[in-house]
Structure formats: C-alpha cells, structure tokens
Amino acid sequence: MKTHLLVTLFVVLIALAPLSYPAPLQTHNGFTPLYALMNVPSARSSIGALPLLMAMLLTRLAIAPDVAWKIVEALALLAGTLGMFALARRLYDEAAATIAATLYALLPYPLMTLYIRGDIGESVFLGLLPWVIYVGVRLAELRTRRRLVVASCLCGLLAAVLWRLCVPLAPDPSQAQAYLFQIFSARWDYGSRGDWLDAVPLQLGIVPVGLSVLALVLHPTRDAIVLGVIALACILLSIAPFSSWWNWSALLNEPWQLLGVAGLCACLLSASLVAREPQLQSLPALAAIVLLSVLAIYAHLEPRGYDYTPTKPPVARFSDEAYLVDAQAPPLRAGTTVTVTLLWQDLGTFSDDYTVFVHVVDAQQKIWTQRDKPPANGTRPTSSWQRGELLRDEYALTIPNDAPPNLRIEVGLYRSRDGLRMATTNGDDRVLIAP
C-alpha cells in the first residue's frame, strides 16, 4: 500500500505546484476571496461558509490571507485525491485505487475550477465529495435493502448540505451555455467573455474517458453501468439544448457544474477496468497510465499570477463588473499637473464599453479639472477586459492656478453610448478619493 500511496501523493504534488507561485493566482474570482477575509460584505457573500471558516482559522495563526487561501485549496485537492484512493480501494484494490486517485487529482474540470475560475468553494466540495460517497459505501456494505436505501438517502443529503455550505447560490445565465464540443475539446484558455466562443474549458480528460469506455465495453457489470448512466446524465444535463430543459438555477450556478460528478464517475469506472484486467495491474501498465495522465494535463499547470497583493479592502466595487482596487494620487495643489493612477480588476463580462471619469472637485462638488476617456487611453475598452485581470490606468490632470485648497478626486464609470453611470455596491454613482 505504501508504494501506491506514495505514487498518488507524488501526482498530487504535481497538481499542487501552481499554488507555490509567490503571489495570488489570477482567476475569474480575482481578489474576492482576499476581500472576504477583510470583511467586505459583497465579497463574503460570494464565498461559501465552510471554505471561509477554514481560511479565517488559518489567518488567526498569523498566516497571510493569500497563503491561507492557497492552503485551503491545497487541502481540498489533497482531500479529494486521498478520498478517491480510499473509496476505490474499498471498492476494488490498491492498483485500481492508485489509478482512480491519480485521475481525480488531474481531472481537467477540478483543475479549471481551481486555477481558472478560482471557485474555492466548489474545489472544497469536490475534495470532500469522495469521502461522502465513502461513508455511503461503508453503510451500504451491510447489504440489506433497507440499509441500502438509508445509505443512499444519507449520502445524497450529506452531499446537498456540503454543496450549500461550500457554494453560495448565485445562478449566472451568462455562463450557462455549454456545448458538447467543449467536453472533448483540446482547447484550454482563460475563458474571459462568458460565451461559447471564449468559454471556460470543460474537458473530462482523454484518459478517464478512454478508460471508462473500455470498462463499459469489456466489463459491463451492474455497477459499471450505473456509473456510466450517472456520468452520461450529468454530461447531457450540462450542455445545450438539454440544459435548458430543467431548472438548474434552483440548485447550481451553472449547469455544467455537474461535470464534477461526471468526472468522479469516470475515475471510478477507470478503476473498475484496472481491477478486472490483471495485465493493467502490472507495474509498467500502471506507470504508463499515470504518466499518460500527467502528460495529458501538464501543459495546463502553468501558474498565472498577479504582481500585486492587496493589503486593504477595495476602494469600491462597481456593480458585479469591476473592483476599483486602488487609487493613487499626489497632493493636489493649484497650478500643478498630477497623475492619478487607478487599479481596476474585472469581475464580470462587460456587455458595453464604459468611459472612466476622473474629476478634481472642491467641497461644494465644483469640478475644477477633469479627464473622461476609455481605460488605458482607449487601448483597453471595458468590453475587452478579461475576468480577474488587473489593469493599471493613468490620468494626467492640470489643476488651474485659482483652484481652492482641500481638493478631492471623483472617480466613476459611465456608459459611452448614453452616459448612464454605473453604481457601486453602496448605491453611489461615483467614488470620492482624498489624495
């Protein structure tokens, strides 16, 4: 058992390698988890209670917030791998458990959830789900029909409670449309715009899919067929047009979140093939499967990080579209030219282009000078922003000689086509900044 477990832990180490990046990783969630630990209400509501509690406990041990979240993510991936190892070992044997755990550690969907979407809550859920099923399997081993029903119901109830503790319900129709080609596509990109032309990668993985098909063809046992039916149902309910035929928004934020369950079933199906094919249990065969699994995902483990770590709450959050992470300006004096530096982070998918306005105002809100222009001198319109991206934006302002003292800066966004201002989460249509 030690050898099989060591191989599994080595594979987990490869999957965890991006977390060693010495700064926060760039994900669709951006700095939201960090702001949640800073008690920003809109950020806290976006993070599940269980992962938030875990991170808060770590910060009380004097661990930096960004490191605390990385530890939570690492524990989630490690727990999922070890849980799959324990589950498959209980169902089959150690060789099968090694393959199941390896595939689960390297499944494209959980890695995308962790390293692209940055959904820590769903990562924690996928890490604990194998243990929930393990409990159900142990109860079902009693082999009475009544016990089987009770075990199945308990397992489903635990999974539902765990899901709600980890993932706040916030359906996102803009991310709902997924298509069959995405399940088998080789494309792996950042998925910034939220439509099918630039969507997040939703692969199940060539190795688990291939082994699952072989398991169903060569050994169509009752258990294998049940796993195959569950996986197929999850896939079909995740993609168009089937995803529009059921009320997924009552349970999920996107219908394709069911792919996490489909991937788990594929790992168990792969394990069942290894358990029933003696030639696959030899050391060369196991090594080949593990190596192929690593090579299939290795190119997607390149970390994408920030060069900035927030140490204070954001200046403002504009709707669900963007954070004004920071705003810097020198003292405002009459007769001088100053440069105001804004740091934006995209959170949503801008459907329109917005103009940034930077006004220098006095106590009576009189504007003494201003600059209104699209971000980055018009080179980065908001419709081109990528989710989680940090954008530095500078504005040079010349203050008139007769301007009064105690000037402040007023910053906001308005829609270019009609001038409608975007409100902050506080209901304001601008943010006042004192240099």
Side-chain angles (χ1 to χ4, degrees):
M1 176 179 174
K2 289 183 179 180
T3 301
H4 292 89
L5 191 56
L6 286 175
V7 170
T8 302
L9 292 175
F10 176 73
V11 172
V12 174
L13 184 64
I14 296 174
L16 291 175
L19 293 177
S20 64
Y21 187 86
L25 294 181
Q26 180 177 340
T27 66
H28 290 184
N29 251 352
F31 294 144
T32 297
L34 296 179
Y35 292 147
L37 291 178
M38 299 176 192
N39 292 318
V40 177
S42 60
R44 287 179 67 93
S45 64
S46 301
I47 304 295
L50 180 58
L52 183 59
L53 176 61
M54 295 169 65
M56 290 175 63
L57 291 175
L58 290 171
T59 57
R60 292 193 177 185
L61 299 175
I63 298 175
D66 60 317
V67 177
W69 279 121
K70 288 183 178 180
I71 292 175
V72 172
E73 293 166 341
L75 290 175
L77 191 54
L78 179 61
T81 304
L82 295 180
M84 180 57 71
F85 185 91
L87 176 60
R89 183 169 177 264
R90 193 75 189 178
L91 293 173
Y92 308 112
D93 54 40
E94 291 180 0
T98 301
I99 297 305
T102 295
L103 294 178
Y104 198 67
L106 299 174
L107 273 179
Y109 179 81
L111 292 179
M112 178 275 294
T113 300
L114 183 60
Y115 293 132
I116 292 182
R117 291 174 57 220
D119 192 331
I120 300 174
E122 189 171 348
S123 295
V124 171
F125 171 79
L126 293 174
L128 296 177
L129 183 59
W131 291 105
V132 172
I133 299 175
Y134 179 82
V135 171
V137 168
R138 292 299 302 271
L139 291 176
E141 287 175 349
L142 298 174
R143 293 297 182 185
T144 65
R145 179 174 298 181
R146 186 174 180 180
R147 294 282 186 178
L148 285 172
V149 173
V150 171
S152 300
C153 292
L154 180 61
C155 188
L157 179 61
L158 286 175
V161 171
L162 179 63
W163 175 259
R164 193 50 59 227
L165 286 174
C166 292
V167 183
L169 183 62
D172 186 358
S174 68
Q175 293 284 323
Q177 287 291 84
Y179 295 83
L180 183 62
F181 79 90
Q182 292 173 255
I183 307 297
F184 302 102
S185 171
R187 181 177 180 178
W188 186 273
D189 55 32
Y190 198 62
S192 60
R193 292 213 316 264
D195 58 36
W196 72 274
L197 292 173
D198 187 21
V200 293
L202 298 175
Q203 297 99 322
L204 287 178
I206 185 172
V207 178
V209 170
L211 293 178
S212 296
V213 172
L214 285 176
L216 290 170
V217 171
L218 298 178
H219 303 283
T221 63
R222 184 186 65 178
D223 291 344
I225 292 174
V226 169
L227 288 171
V229 168
I230 294 174
L232 181 60
C234 289
I235 293 172
L236 292 179
L237 292 174
S238 298
I239 61 175
F242 306 103
S243 59
S244 62
W245 296 356
W246 66 290
N247 186 24
W248 56 267
S249 60
L251 302 171
L252 308 171
N253 296 330
E254 296 89 13
W256 38 261
Q257 287 177 316
L258 289 173
L259 293 177
V261 178
L264 185 148
C265 292
C267 292
L268 291 176
L269 269 173
S270 301
S272 72
L273 176 67
V274 173
R276 290 178 172 83
E277 289 290 336
Q279 61 269 34
L280 292 181
Q281 297 199 359
S282 65
L283 183 59
L286 292 176
I289 296 174
V290 171
L291 180 60
L292 183 59
S293 302
V294 172
L295 292 177
I297 199 67
Y298 193 71
H300 306 321
L301 294 177
E302 180 180 359
R304 184 172 182 168
Y306 295 112
D307 58 359
Y308 176 92
T309 302
T311 57
K312 58 184 179 181
V315 177
R317 174 170 174 163
F318 286 86
S319 185
D320 292 326
E321 301 295 346
Y323 284 126
L324 178 55
V325 174
D326 199 4
Q328 299 177 356
L332 304 179
R333 297 188 181 92
T336 62
T337 298
V338 299
T339 298
V340 178
T341 301
L342 306 178
L343 188 61
W344 300 97
Q345 185 175 70
D346 182 39
L347 288 176
T349 51
F350 280 94
S351 57
D352 291 296
D353 284 323
Y354 282 78
T355 297
V356 178
F357 65 85
V358 182
H359 299 165
V360 174
V361 299
D362 59 21
Q364 286 71 43
Q365 296 297 304
K366 178 182 177 181
I367 299 175
W368 286 89
T369 186
Q370 69 183 78
R371 287 296 303 273
D372 293 33
K373 63 177 183 178
N377 286 316
T379 61
R380 290 301 311 277
T382 55
S383 60
S384 73
W385 289 6
Q386 292 187 346
R387 282 186 142 187
E389 177 186 18
L390 273 181
L391 183 72
R392 285 178 170 81
D393 199 14
E394 295 185 346
Y395 296 83
L397 298 163
T398 300
I399 303 174
N401 293 327
D402 58 342
N406 300 322
L407 296 171
R408 294 185 297 176
I409 297 170
E410 185 179 81
V411 176
L413 295 163
Y414 63 83
R415 197 159 55 194
S416 303
R417 58 183 171 86
D418 58 11
L420 180 65
R421 289 190 178 187
M422 179 179 289
T424 69
T425 52
N426 292 330
D428 301 322
D429 62 2
R430 66 191 185 282
V431 180
L432 289 174
I433 301 167

